Amino acid sequence: MSPFRSIEWKNGRLRLLDQRQLPAQTVYQDYSDYKSVAEAIQTMVVRGAPAIGVTAAFGLAIAAKQFQSHPPKTFLADLHAAGEYLVQARPTAVNLSWAINHLLAIATDLAEKTTPPTEIAAALLSEAQTLYQADIEACKQLGTYAQALIPNPATVIHHCNTGALAAVDYGTAIGVIRVAHEQGKQIHVFLDETRPRLQGASLSAYEMKAFSIPHTVIVDGASGYVMSTQKIDACIVGCDRVAANGDVANKIGTYNLALVAHAHSVPFYVACPTSTLDMNLASGTEINIEERTPAEITHIKGQQITPDDTPVFNPAFDITPAKYITALI
Ligand code: MRU
């Protein structure tokens, strides 16, 4: 178990570790209103595809509790509207809508059996807790299963943050790295800093330090130089959505990393739980890519770094075509 928890259900409230303040400060925020949960997802108090899926599930369970005194006729409609509100918070990671649809299907089924709203609210909370545990298990299994691909010793490049902070525990790509380390493999990780929000430099380096995993932070543009001058065994990344043809949406810069890996014949692995698969979309071109505020690029820690009114394009994710992915784990 990690020495920190990204998400916890505590004293009847949702508790989130505010990842915007890491590594400088460890601050937890409590939530008992579904709109505030949606805001926490949108403003990236919590982030990472599996983590926002589980958080949204708790968000919907909170909404059900908020609505449980509504008449049964409006309860379900109100719950669907709350689900839509939560889904809008961040559009790219399919884990979010997957979790909401999963809980709404349970609520609808119970409502059809004339189950009272109080019991439906209790069932949704219980299901959110089940998803919470299932995420830990899935990530652990993923990390163990992937070991056949990780040599010993191994030097890998990782992008963004995909660890215990991006899930309930372990995480996906960092879960693979963590299990390798736990199994005694000599693994060294180059962490892309991951502009503009620096999840690699702040969050992944925080996790590597917490688990004593040897690591080195590099700027995103350094991966080509690193691959051309050092023996890199693999690139390992997570993802936010996989289309039916195997194209992958992940943090902006993933596609560049995949191209460099391809040019250097370095295996490029993408790790994710099944809740990240979206068989409804034929290819990556159909994935909705979130665009975030220009301020993430024009400012660093509140300090403006571009001239006034500089035009900015800030897609939070990109699409890596399946042909550049060696394996989906
Ligand atoms: O914008 P973020 O920080 O939520 O982006 C996170 C990523 O892109 C991760 O690589 C992805 O969600 C997989 S996390 C296990």
Side-chain angles (χ1 to χ4, degrees):
M1 193 174 143
S2 305
F4 50 84
R5 269 270 178 253
S6 55
I7 307 164
E8 259 182 309
W9 184 259
K10 218 173 172 142
N11 304 328
R13 286 162 169 249
L14 178 65
R15 174 163 289 185
L16 298 175
L17 172 56
D18 189 343
Q19 300 188 27
R20 300 167 306 179
Q21 303 196 47
L22 289 172
Q25 292 185 62
T26 304
V27 176
Y28 291 90
Q29 316 266 11
D30 287 346
Y31 298 87
S32 52
D33 166 61
Y34 80 91
K35 288 192 173 172
S36 313
V37 175
E39 194 188 337
I41 294 171
Q42 210 290 320
T43 58
M44 296 176 72
V45 170
V46 62
R47 30 66 51 205
I52 60 178
V54 171
T55 301
F58 280 113
L60 197 71
I62 288 170
K65 189 156 194 296
Q66 288 178 269
F67 302 155
Q68 66 185 359
S69 59
H70 293 192
K73 270 191 183 159
T74 56
F75 173 79
L76 198 60
D78 293 340
L79 203 58
H80 272 88
E84 192 48 38
Y85 191 87
L86 284 155
V87 166
Q88 297 303 324
R90 292 198 76 190
T92 303
V94 71
N95 309 57
L96 204 171
S97 51
W98 180 91
I100 294 295
N101 290 338
H102 178 74
L103 261 66
L104 283 175
I106 292 171
T108 306
D109 186 49
L110 290 171
E112 276 165 8
K113 294 175 185 145
T114 62
T115 310
T118 46
E119 283 179 35
I120 298 178
L124 294 192
L125 178 58
S126 163
E127 188 60 20
Q129 282 161 332
T130 300
L131 293 183
Y132 183 90
Q133 288 304 332
D135 187 68
I136 300 173
E137 275 316 303
C139 288
K140 262 194 200 167
Q141 282 180 29
L142 189 162
T144 307
Y145 180 61
Q147 291 312 310
L149 299 171
I150 310 298
N152 183 21
T155 303
V156 301
I157 300 183
H158 173 268
H159 193 65
C160 195
N161 171 263
T162 65
L165 291 167
V168 180
D169 203 349
Y170 277 84
T172 58
I174 284 185
V176 174
I177 292 163
R178 196 168 141 190
V179 172
H181 177 73
E182 285 172 358
Q183 290 187 355
K185 288 184 182 172
Q186 279 178 31
I187 188 156
H188 187 101
V189 192
F190 282 100
L191 301 169
D192 277 356
E193 63 168 354
T194 317
R195 276 282 285 155
R197 291 190 66 104
L198 304 175
Q199 291 96 327
S202 56
L203 306 178
S204 295
Y206 173 84
E207 290 199 34
M208 294 300 102
K209 190 172 178 193
F211 303 122
S212 305
I213 300 174
H215 60 284
T216 307
V217 173
I218 55 174
V219 298
D220 299 347
S223 55
Y225 180 69
V226 170
M227 279 191 237
S228 64
T229 54
Q230 310 211 23
K231 185 182 172 301
I232 300 298
D233 297 292
C235 294
I236 315 177
V237 301
C239 65
D240 287 76
R241 196 181 288 245
V242 185
N245 70 343
D247 291 352
V248 154
N250 191 47
K251 179 54 53 195
I252 193 76
T254 302
Y255 179 30
N256 301 51
L257 185 64
L259 289 174
V260 177
H262 182 74
H264 290 277
S265 302
V266 170
F268 192 86
Y269 300 128
V270 177
C272 66
T274 50
S275 53
T276 308
L277 306 178
D278 186 352
M279 292 302 140
N280 295 318
L281 300 186
S283 79
T285 53
E286 294 176 34
I287 298 176
N288 182 358
I289 297 294
E290 174 186 10
E291 276 184 45
R292 295 189 63 87
T293 169
E296 289 184 349
I297 290 180
T298 56
H299 289 66
I300 294 181
K301 290 200 182 297
Q303 177 79 38
Q304 188 174 318
I305 58 161
T306 52
D308 289 345
D309 305 321
T310 296
V312 162
F313 176 44
N314 185 18
F317 301 94
D318 60 23
I319 306 293
T320 301
K323 66 179 175 184
Y324 297 119
I325 298 169
T326 313
L328 272 178
I329 306 167

